[in-house]
């Protein structure tokens, strides 16, 4: 084995000369090897290819050793190694025998362990069966325990619900009605319901012993509750009793008594309910009747059936026969004034009559109406909420308030039947509307039908009174109404104040029917105004009269608010038209020849040569104007001052007249410039600047 590496190292230079072809050639020559091997030449080549990189094979081939010899050497080596191994085995035989014994002992031990484990397995199987049996017994015992607990619970509850403790008997029979009594009543109610509802109880023997006692307790409780509640109801009838405080602080505290009666004594509950209805009906009716009687002492009469727009009112004797308070009252017939404040005080507390009476105060009826309705809606709200809370019945309210509403209706219908105050009626309509909104916000519907009924009563009455005013204008006697005075007529002032009041009250509501009625009223008063104007002999006085009345009407309508309505627009148009007529009449009175000349002349552009003016035509006009124009303007100024009661309106009219005069004079000056020889008249022409100066001067002083 050592010679081969040495030979490999000795012939290392020659190793490259041996290749596969040489090896194949050598093997082909060896016939003995070819005869012993079954492998084909092709298979041998494949193996040689696989072994060509093997280092050992390469060394053998490099040394030129024959394979057979090399094989024999290898066999000898193996044989030697085998002999050495046998010697080693013989040397270790004792150890092997010991190892064999140990293995045999281990096998015996494992056999014993197997026997023990097999026994364990058998015992474990037996234990598993026992555990399963125990588990089944445990589940069975658990189910029995659960059933027993359920039975115990039901039985315990049954005993608790059906038993009547001595303490409960003492409280129901001898105790006072207080918080503890209320709790005991609840317990008794549960026991009664338990006995009546539960089918199991009806079949139990315990019921025979308990039911009579429970029934006696129920009767005793009902009797005591009835006496207690009726006594509290009677307390409501005492004079000067604050009903709401008694309801909230006392009755509501014991409202369970009513629940108990409703559930366990329906007949007694019906008696209690009827007693409360009767009590509150009488008490509230009496309160409202007394309140109305007190309010009637505070009423200030505003209008009568004769206080109409078109009714004659002579200033002589009439004004001096009336006191200051009466004059103030009469002015409120048609003017809204401070009466509008009642709508701003809509949610204020109701009047306290004895305080107002002590101060000797009087009020228009709408103030009393608001207080009465305010008291009614507040009382109704409180009673409605209490009835719902205490009795659990909203319908109870209608039975209670049938009396109070009847008292209020009787009073209101009597007042409305004799009411001729149209503004007051409209204020009441607005008050009812505001109260409807208040009840809507409170979400209290109990007075809806009542408020609707009052509203439906007010509108026909308003229409009737309004038609009285309308007919008074249509049927007015012009001869008795006419006064030889161009200043505003008192009928027109009434109309303006009346219309302004209704327009103001309709601004936020936009009632089309009211607007239509106001339009009818405007047509009637305008027709009357024209008739009154025609009573003046001169056209100029008629125009002045119309202007003064139109101007007054517009001023009053503007005072009512930013929106004077359609009437204001109409009167502004007719005022403008009449001012134009007056301006022409005023100028004709002082400069008639000049104006007629200007109006009679055609335009200079279209005029023919024969139509053109001459110096002789315009000279008298120019000189006349130059000689008296300032005096004429002064007279116009005085005329306007004495004719028109409204200085501002008079100033505007004077300015319009002077402006129109300036336009007329400008046209005649232009005519003079275009006339042949007209320059000779320049010395007599008044300068336009002079006229403008006078216009400004009067504008400042007026």
């Amino acid at each position: 084995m050592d010679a081969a590496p040495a030979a490999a190292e000795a012939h290392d230079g020659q190793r490259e000369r041996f290749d596969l072809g040489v090896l194949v050639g050598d093997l082909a020559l060896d016939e003995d090897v070819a005869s012993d091997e079954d492998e084909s030449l092709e298979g041998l080549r494949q193996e040689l290819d696989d072994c060509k990189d093997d280092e050992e094979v390469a060394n053998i081939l490099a040394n030129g050793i024959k394979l057979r010899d090399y094989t024999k050497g290898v066999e000898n080596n193996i044989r030697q190694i085998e002999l050495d191994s046998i010697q080693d085995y013989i040397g270790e035989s004792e150890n092997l025998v010991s190892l064999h014994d140990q293995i045999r002992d281990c096998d015996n031990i494992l056999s014993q362990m197997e026997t023990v484990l097999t026994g364990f397995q058998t015992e474990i199987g037996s234990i598993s069966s026992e555990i399963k049996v125990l588990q089944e017994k445990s589940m069975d015992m658990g189910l029995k325990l659960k059933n027993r607990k359920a039975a115990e619970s039901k039985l315990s509850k049954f005993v608790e619900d059906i038993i009547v403790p001595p303490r409960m008997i003492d409280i129901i029979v001898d105790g006072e009605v207080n918080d503890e009594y209320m709790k005991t009543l609840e317990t008794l109610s549960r026991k009664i319901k338990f006995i009546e509802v539960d089918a199991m109880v009806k079949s139990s023997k315990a019921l025979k012993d308990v039911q009579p006692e429970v029934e006696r307790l129920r009767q005793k409780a009902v009797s005591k509750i009835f006496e207690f509640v009726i006594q509290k109801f009677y307390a409501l009838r005492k004079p000067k009793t604050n009903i709401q405080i008694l309801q909230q602080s006392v009755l509501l505290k014991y409202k369970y008594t009513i629940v108990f009666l409703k559930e366990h004594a329906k007949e007694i509950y019906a008696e209690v309910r009827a007693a409360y209805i009767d009590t509150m009906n009488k008490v509230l009716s009496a309160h409202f009747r007394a309140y109305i009687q007190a309010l009637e002492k505070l009423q200030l009469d505003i209008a009568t059936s004769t206080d109409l727009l078109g009714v004659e009112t002579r200033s002589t004797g009439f004004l001096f026969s009336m006191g200051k308070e009466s004059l103030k009252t009469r002015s409120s017939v048609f003017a809204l004034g401070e009466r509008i404040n009642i709508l701003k005080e809509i949610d204020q507390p109701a009047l306290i009559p004895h305080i107002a009476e002590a101060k000797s105060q009087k009020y228009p009826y709408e103030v009393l109406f608001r207080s009465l309705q305010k008291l009614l809606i507040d009382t109704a709200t409180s009673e409605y909420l209490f009835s719902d809370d205490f009795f659990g019945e909203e319908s109870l309210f209608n039975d209670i308030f049938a009396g109070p509403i009847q008292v209020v209706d009787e009073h209101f219908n009597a007042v409305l039947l004799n009411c001729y105050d149209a503004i007051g009626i409209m204020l009441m309509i607005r008050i009812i509307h505001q109260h409807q909104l208040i009840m809507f916000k409170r979400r209290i519907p109990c007075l809806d039908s009542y408020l609707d009924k009052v509203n439906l009563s007010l509108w026909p009455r308003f229409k009737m009174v309004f038609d009285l005013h309308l007919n008074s204008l249509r049927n007015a006697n012009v001869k008795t109404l006419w006064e030889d005075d161009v200043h505003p007529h008192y009928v027109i002032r009434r109309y303006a104040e009346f219309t302004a009041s209704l327009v103001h009250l309709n601004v936020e509501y936009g009632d089309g029917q009211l607007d239509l009625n106001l339009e009818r009223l405007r047509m009637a008063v305008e027709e009357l105004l024209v008739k009154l104007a025609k009573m003046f002999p001169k056209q100029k006085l008629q125009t002045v009269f119309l202007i003064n009345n139109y101007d007054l009407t517009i001023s009053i309508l503007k005072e009512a608010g930013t929106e004077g309505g359609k009437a204001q627009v109409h009167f502004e148009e007719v005022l403008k038209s009449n001012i134009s007529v007056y301006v022409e009449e005023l100028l004709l009175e002082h400069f008639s020849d000049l104006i007629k000349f200007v109006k009679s002349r055609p335009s200079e552009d279209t005029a023919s040569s024969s139509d053109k003016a001459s110096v002789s035509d315009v000279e008298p006009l120019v000189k006349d104007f130059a000689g008296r124009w300032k005096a004429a303007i002064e007279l116009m100024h005085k005329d306007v001052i004495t004719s028109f009661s409204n200085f501002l309106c008079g100033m505007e009219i004077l300015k319009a007249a002077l402006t129109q005069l300036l336009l007329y004079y400008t046209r005649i000056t232009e005519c003079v410039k275009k006339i042949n020889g007209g320059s000779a008249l320049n010395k007599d022409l008044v300068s336009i600047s002079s006229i403008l100066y006078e216009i400004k001067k009067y504008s400042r002083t007026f």
Side-chain angles (χ1 to χ4, degrees):
M1 294 297 295
D2 295 335
E9 293 175 358
H11 297 86
D12 187 55
Q14 299 178 357
R15 182 179 302 170
E16 295 179 355
R17 288 178 290 178
F18 293 95
D19 56 10
L20 185 58
V22 176
L23 182 58
V24 172
D26 291 340
L27 291 175
L29 295 176
D30 196 346
E31 295 179 354
D32 296 333
V33 175
S35 59
D36 294 336
E37 298 292 335
D38 295 332
E39 297 177 353
S40 64
L41 182 59
E42 192 66 30
L44 181 60
R45 288 178 178 175
Q46 182 65 35
E47 288 188 5
L48 291 176
D49 286 338
D50 296 336
C51 296
K52 66 181 180 179
D53 295 329
D54 187 271
E55 184 179 358
E56 192 68 24
V57 174
N59 290 334
I60 294 172
L61 295 177
N63 293 330
I65 303 175
K66 291 185 178 181
L67 294 176
R68 186 178 295 277
D69 294 336
Y70 186 80
T71 302
K72 289 181 180 181
V74 170
E75 289 178 354
N76 292 330
N77 290 337
I78 291 171
R79 190 175 294 111
Q80 184 62 42
I81 291 170
E82 181 182 4
L83 293 175
D84 293 339
S85 298
I86 291 170
Q87 291 299 321
D88 292 339
Y89 180 78
I90 293 171
E92 295 294 330
S93 60
E94 292 181 1
N95 293 333
L96 291 174
V97 172
S98 176
L99 178 62
H100 178 71
D101 293 338
Q102 291 178 3
I103 291 171
R104 187 175 61 250
D105 293 340
C106 287
D107 187 56
N108 293 333
I109 291 171
L110 291 173
S111 177
Q112 293 175 3
M113 291 181 65
E114 181 181 9
T115 303
V116 172
L117 290 175
T118 301
F120 282 168
Q121 183 178 9
T122 303
E123 291 179 2
I124 287 171
S126 175
I127 291 172
S128 176
S129 299
E130 292 179 0
I131 290 174
K132 186 175 181 180
V133 173
L134 291 174
Q135 185 177 10
E136 291 176 354
K137 290 182 178 180
S138 176
M139 291 176 64
D140 185 54
M141 292 175 67
L143 181 61
K144 291 179 180 180
L145 178 61
K146 183 178 179 180
N147 292 337
R148 288 176 180 177
K149 286 184 177 180
E152 181 184 2
S153 175
K154 289 185 177 182
L155 184 60
S156 175
K157 189 175 185 307
F158 173 81
V159 172
E160 181 182 354
D161 289 340
I162 202 171
I163 193 174
V164 180
R167 175 64 179 166
M168 186 176 75
I169 297 174
D170 293 339
I171 293 174
I172 295 295
V173 175
D174 301 323
E176 296 182 358
V177 179
N178 50 25
D179 292 341
E180 185 181 14
Y181 196 89
M182 294 298 102
K183 294 179 181 178
T184 307
L185 270 185
E186 293 180 11
T187 304
L188 178 60
S189 176
R190 287 195 298 269
K191 293 184 181 298
I192 295 173
K193 291 177 182 178
F194 178 71
I195 293 173
E196 292 176 350
V197 175
D198 198 322
M200 181 182 66
V201 177
K202 294 180 179 180
S203 60
S204 65
K205 294 182 178 180
L207 180 62
K208 296 179 181 179
D209 297 332
V210 174
Q211 190 172 17
E213 298 298 327
V214 172
E215 177 61 21
R216 280 193 287 270
L217 283 178
R218 183 192 70 82
Q219 293 177 359
K220 182 62 178 179
V222 168
S223 175
K224 181 173 286 190
I225 289 172
F226 179 78
E227 293 177 0
F228 175 80
V229 173
I230 293 300
Q231 183 182 3
K232 296 301 180 184
F233 289 171
Y234 284 152
L236 295 170
R237 300 186 179 187
K238 294 180 180 180
K240 298 181 180 181
T241 299
N242 191 317
I243 296 174
Q244 293 183 6
I245 291 179
L246 185 60
Q247 288 175 335
Q248 298 297 323
S249 61
V250 178
L251 291 179
L252 282 180
K253 184 179 179 181
Y254 301 105
K255 69 177 182 178
Y256 185 75
T257 58
I258 301 300
V259 176
F260 185 86
L261 293 179
K262 186 184 291 187
E263 292 178 347
H264 307 297
K266 295 186 181 299
E267 294 180 358
I268 303 300
Y269 168 75
E271 293 182 18
V272 170
R273 183 180 184 276
Y276 180 78
I277 291 173
D278 181 65
T279 298
M280 292 306 298
N281 191 311
K282 292 179 179 178
V283 169
L284 294 178
S285 297
H287 282 189
F288 276 98
R289 190 175 291 108
Y291 187 74
I292 289 170
Q293 290 173 355
L295 287 181
E296 289 174 347
K297 298 177 182 179
L298 307 177
Q299 184 171 344
L300 178 64
D301 294 328
I302 297 294
T304 64
S305 59
T306 59
D307 292 317
L308 302 175
L309 292 175
V311 173
E312 176 190 2
T313 303
R314 292 292 180 182
S315 60
T316 56
F318 174 74
L319 294 178
F320 298 103
S321 64
M322 303 182 67
K324 292 182 179 180
E325 187 63 33
S326 298
L327 288 175
K328 183 179 179 181
T329 303
R330 307 297 286 188
S331 67
S332 299
V333 175
F334 308 107
L336 182 60
E338 295 181 356
R339 298 176 72 182
I340 187 66
N341 293 335
I342 193 63
L343 298 180
K344 301 175 184 177
E345 303 167 358
I346 197 70
D347 210 22
Q348 294 297 315
L351 285 176
I352 301 176
H354 68 270
I355 295 178
E357 189 175 0
K359 296 179 180 179
S360 299
Q361 293 177 329
K362 298 285 186 178
Y363 302 95
Y365 182 72
E366 68 269 9
V367 177
L368 309 182
F369 177 81
R370 184 208 70 85
S371 291
L372 179 59
Q373 299 300 319
K374 172 66 174 173
L375 181 64
L376 182 64
I377 66 172
D378 288 347
T379 305
T381 299
S382 176
E383 188 60 37
Y384 178 83
L385 294 175
F386 173 77
S387 298
D388 184 36
D389 195 4
F390 190 67
F391 288 95
E393 294 185 40
E394 297 178 0
S395 60
L396 199 71
F397 172 85
N398 295 326
D399 298 329
I400 294 171
F401 257 72
I405 289 178
Q406 183 179 358
V407 171
V408 174
D409 279 345
E410 290 175 357
H411 160 75
F412 175 68
N413 292 333
V415 172
L416 194 62
L417 188 62
N418 297 310
C419 182
Y420 294 92
D421 181 10
I423 294 176
I425 296 174
M426 183 53 65
L427 284 170
M428 287 188 279
I429 290 173
R430 300 312 181 208
I431 289 170
I432 285 295
H433 178 76
Q434 293 297 325
H435 283 167
Q436 286 176 322
L437 293 179
I438 290 173
M439 295 299 283
F440 177 76
K441 291 178 181 178
R442 292 178 180 178
R443 297 183 179 180
I444 304 295
C446 58
L447 287 180
D448 287 353
S449 59
Y450 166 76
L451 294 174
D452 289 339
K453 180 181 67 175
V454 174
N455 193 46
L456 292 175
S457 300
L458 286 167
W459 273 109
R461 185 65 187 180
F462 172 80
K463 182 66 167 55
M464 189 274 288
V465 176
F466 188 91
D467 287 343
L468 289 177
H469 287 289
L470 180 62
N471 293 329
S472 71
L473 294 176
R474 289 175 175 175
N475 302 326
N477 189 335
V478 179
K479 292 182 180 180
T480 57
L481 288 177
W482 183 76
E483 298 175 350
D484 192 8
D485 187 359
V486 295
H487 289 85
H489 198 278
Y490 62 85
V491 170
I492 306 305
R493 179 179 293 276
R494 289 176 182 175
Y495 160 78
E497 292 175 344
F498 185 70
T499 300
S501 300
L502 294 180
V503 168
H504 194 178
L505 291 175
N506 197 39
V507 169
E508 297 181 3
Y509 299 90
D511 192 295
Q513 188 65 31
L514 182 57
D515 289 336
L516 181 60
N517 286 325
L518 289 175
E519 181 69 14
R520 294 166 58 210
L521 192 67
R522 180 196 63 76
M523 295 171 64
V525 79
E526 194 169 11
E527 183 179 351
L528 175 62
L529 185 60
V530 172
K531 291 179 181 179
L532 290 171
K534 289 181 179 180
M535 297 294 290
F536 290 94
K538 295 181 180 180
Q539 179 65 36
K540 179 184 173 184
L541 293 177
Q542 295 178 12
T543 307
V544 171
F545 177 75
L546 291 174
I547 290 174
N548 279 327
N549 283 280
Y550 290 146
D551 179 66
L552 173 70
T553 303
I554 293 170
S555 299
I556 294 175
L557 289 175
K558 286 182 178 179
E559 290 175 2
T562 55
E563 298 182 7
K566 296 179 181 179
Q568 179 181 332
V569 176
H570 174 78
F571 285 121
E572 287 175 347
E573 293 176 355
V574 294
L575 174 63
K576 184 178 179 182
S577 175
N578 279 274
I579 287 176
S580 299
V581 172
Y582 175 78
V583 166
E584 290 297 324
E585 292 173 350
L586 183 63
L587 293 176
L588 282 172
E589 185 176 338
H590 297 280
F591 304 99
S592 59
D593 293 337
L594 185 147
I595 295 172
K596 289 177 181 178
F597 175 80
V598 171
K599 289 185 175 181
S600 64
R601 305 305 299 174
S603 174
E604 294 294 329
D605 297 333
T606 60
S608 61
S609 58
S610 60
D611 294 333
K612 291 185 177 180
S614 61
V615 174
S616 61
D617 293 332
V618 298
E619 183 177 4
L621 299 176
V622 172
K623 289 183 177 181
D624 178 68
F625 185 84
R628 64 182 186 86
W629 72 278
K630 287 186 178 180
I633 291 178
E634 178 66 24
L635 291 174
M636 291 169 59
H637 175 230
K638 292 180 180 179
D639 193 0
V640 169
I641 287 178
T642 56
S643 297
F644 299 103
S645 54
N646 185 350
F647 286 172
L648 294 177
C649 179
M651 184 181 69
E652 293 298 325
I653 293 172
L654 181 60
K655 287 174 63 177
L658 295 177
T659 303
Q660 186 64 31
L661 176 62
L662 181 61
L663 292 175
Y664 285 139
Y665 192 71
T666 302
R667 288 183 61 182
I668 203 169
T669 56
E670 292 176 353
C671 180
V672 170
K673 293 178 182 178
K674 295 180 180 181
I675 296 175
N676 294 329
S679 58
L681 299 175
N682 287 342
K683 65 180 183 301
D684 296 320
L685 287 175
V686 180
S687 65
I688 300 300
S689 60
S690 298
I691 299 175
L692 286 173
Y693 174 78
E694 289 296 320
I695 292 175
K696 292 180 180 178
K697 182 178 71 172
Y698 282 107
S699 298
R700 289 195 299 269
T701 58
F702 187 72

